[in-house]
Amino acid sequence: MSDTSHGVGGLSFDTSKRNWPPEMGVFLALVLIIVVFEILGRLLMHDSFLFNTRDNVDTLFNEPRLKIIILQVSITGIIALGVTQVILTGGIDLSSGSVVGATAMIAMSFAQAGTLNGSPNTRAIFFDHGLVDLPVIFPIAVGIGCGAIAGLINGALVAYTKIPPFIATLGMMVAARGVAKWWTKGQPVSFPTDSYAAIGKGMMPVFIFIVLAILFHLILRHTVYGKHTYAIGSNEAAARMSGIKVDRHKLLVYTIAAMLAGVAAIVLSSKNLTAQAGMGLMYELDAIAMAVIGGISLQGGRGSVIGTVLGALIFGVIISGFTFLRLDAYYQEMVKGAIIVGAVALDQWRQRRAAARS
């Protein structure tokens, strides 16, 4: 017989049925992966993966590696924050990587400097129109606006034409990549202003990612928007019966997701000091994988931003760990594929287990 305890009002509960927060499992997986790389590093590389082993440095941890781990997933992590909200409603967004490519090209073209080394920058896309050296808010607004347009189209197709999200966003994925190539006929766009370049400088991408993660964690947990998002993903029919405007909310969710892809495009192009039509390739799959690894259910209605952030960190640790062990890049792709399949399989197992308990 299970031990019982008494709570408020004398009500009893079964201590054996208390569950850890879902994010705890993801966190433990992150710790386990770090431990595995630490052991392999000691055995194979005679070095530490996480800790500093140099005598001339006083810090306990390998700070450069920690910074790289966080930095290399911060931009994709921004996309994952939007993808998380879409999946919570029971949808999917395959277009975010292509939206990054198109938005980066368009935003950068409005962020170009008017002079280079004292000479007029005649390579600027809109040099003849005088649209150079614009205030940084202008290309930012253009980038977020481009994302919003793509998201509105995605949301309208899903909500009002009832096209399956997979097909609707697949179409946008192809179309947005075409826009990215058409914008400058495939030519890269470079030479941004100093103020635009500062957006992606140093650890700014990490700072932007953390701020957005905190913001959307609070929104999803403590606002009507968040409650409606979870309700639609849990049971769309019940959400409609309760008075939630499901179609309008889906339109909003897809728009926010694409706007976050636009933010990621701005940060990425600023960080690289250039924009190319191929930017963001496969980013959507990495973002989806981060969310799923973080415990977001592909059936919708379950998961959190905290889990997605932990999923992003797992991705960063794996990539950095493979580089640390000097394994070829194609092994990373194989492992990432296996992780995605494993995360989906784990999600299905969790759902079956939850159904059996209920």
Side-chain angles (χ1 to χ4, degrees):
M1 182 175 178
S2 300
D3 295 333
T4 59
S5 300
H6 292 280
V8 178
L11 296 177
S12 62
F13 62 91
D14 191 342
T15 57
S16 67
K17 294 183 178 180
R18 289 182 299 179
N19 294 320
W20 289 99
E23 297 82 7
M24 181 59 69
V26 184
F27 176 74
L28 292 177
L30 173 62
V31 173
L32 177 61
I33 292 171
I34 292 174
V35 170
V36 169
F37 279 122
E38 186 69 28
I39 294 173
L40 291 176
R42 299 282 184 174
L43 294 176
L44 302 178
M45 310 301 297
H46 305 291
D47 195 5
S48 172
F49 171 65
L50 188 62
F51 299 97
N52 178 50
T53 56
R54 291 178 295 177
D55 296 332
N56 59 340
V57 179
D58 295 331
T59 57
L60 175 64
F61 294 102
N62 189 327
E63 292 184 1
R65 179 167 290 122
L66 291 176
K67 289 180 179 179
I68 290 174
I69 289 173
I70 301 173
L71 187 60
Q72 65 189 357
V73 299
S74 58
I75 294 175
T76 313
I78 294 172
I79 301 172
L81 296 177
V83 169
T84 292
Q85 298 171 65
V86 171
I87 298 177
L88 284 174
T89 64
I92 198 72
D93 188 355
L94 299 179
S95 67
S96 51
S98 295
V99 170
V100 167
T103 301
M105 294 290 286
I106 297 172
M108 178 65 86
S109 65
F110 287 97
Q112 290 183 285
T115 58
L116 291 176
N117 300 321
S119 301
N121 180 18
T122 55
R123 294 184 178 182
I125 304 300
F126 297 116
F127 181 81
D128 294 337
H129 301 280
L131 297 177
V132 292
D133 291 323
L134 295 173
V136 69
I137 191 63
F138 194 85
I140 290 176
V142 168
I144 295 176
C146 289
I149 292 172
L152 284 169
I153 295 173
N154 281 338
L157 290 173
V158 172
Y160 296 109
T161 70
K162 307 306 178 185
I163 295 176
F166 182 91
I167 300 301
T169 58
L170 180 63
M172 177 57 70
M173 179 181 75
V174 178
R177 189 63 66 186
V179 170
K181 296 175 181 177
W182 162 79
W183 185 252
T184 60
K185 303 300 184 288
Q187 297 300 313
V189 184
S190 305
F191 310 115
T193 60
D194 292 339
S195 55
Y196 188 83
I199 297 173
K201 190 174 182 181
M203 298 299 288
M204 274 299 294
V206 177
F207 174 75
I208 294 171
F209 173 46
I210 292 174
V211 169
L212 288 173
I214 294 172
L215 174 63
F216 281 100
H217 171 72
L218 295 175
I219 289 174
L220 287 174
R221 288 298 181 188
H222 303 291
T223 68
V224 173
Y225 169 84
K227 291 179 174 62
H228 288 184
T229 300
Y230 280 100
I232 293 171
S234 297
N235 191 323
E236 183 172 327
R240 289 185 188 275
M241 293 286 290
S242 66
I244 296 175
K245 298 184 183 301
V246 173
D247 293 339
R248 189 173 69 181
H249 191 83
K250 284 185 177 181
L251 181 68
L252 179 59
V253 168
Y254 279 91
T255 301
I256 290 175
M259 289 172 68
L260 285 170
V263 173
I266 293 167
V267 177
L268 179 62
S269 59
S270 171
K271 179 175 178 291
N272 293 345
L273 302 179
T274 186
Q276 300 181 13
M279 273 184 165
L281 190 64
M282 303 296 287
Y283 277 23
E284 65 277 354
L285 297 184
D286 285 351
I288 292 171
M290 289 175 182
V292 174
I293 291 170
I296 305 296
S297 173
L298 288 173
Q299 303 300 318
R302 196 186 69 224
S304 70
V305 168
I306 293 176
T308 297
V309 172
L310 290 172
L313 290 177
I314 287 176
F315 247 58
V317 167
I318 290 173
I319 295 171
S320 181
F322 274 51
T323 303
F324 168 65
L325 296 177
R326 298 177 186 174
L327 295 179
D328 293 326
Y330 47 78
Y331 286 120
Q332 297 182 24
E333 301 300 325
M334 295 178 188
V335 171
K336 283 164 67 174
I339 289 173
I340 293 171
V341 174
V344 174
L346 179 60
D347 175 59
Q348 295 296 316
W349 176 79
R350 282 195 300 243
Q351 290 192 53
R352 290 194 298 269
R353 186 181 179 188
R357 284 182 173 180
S358 62

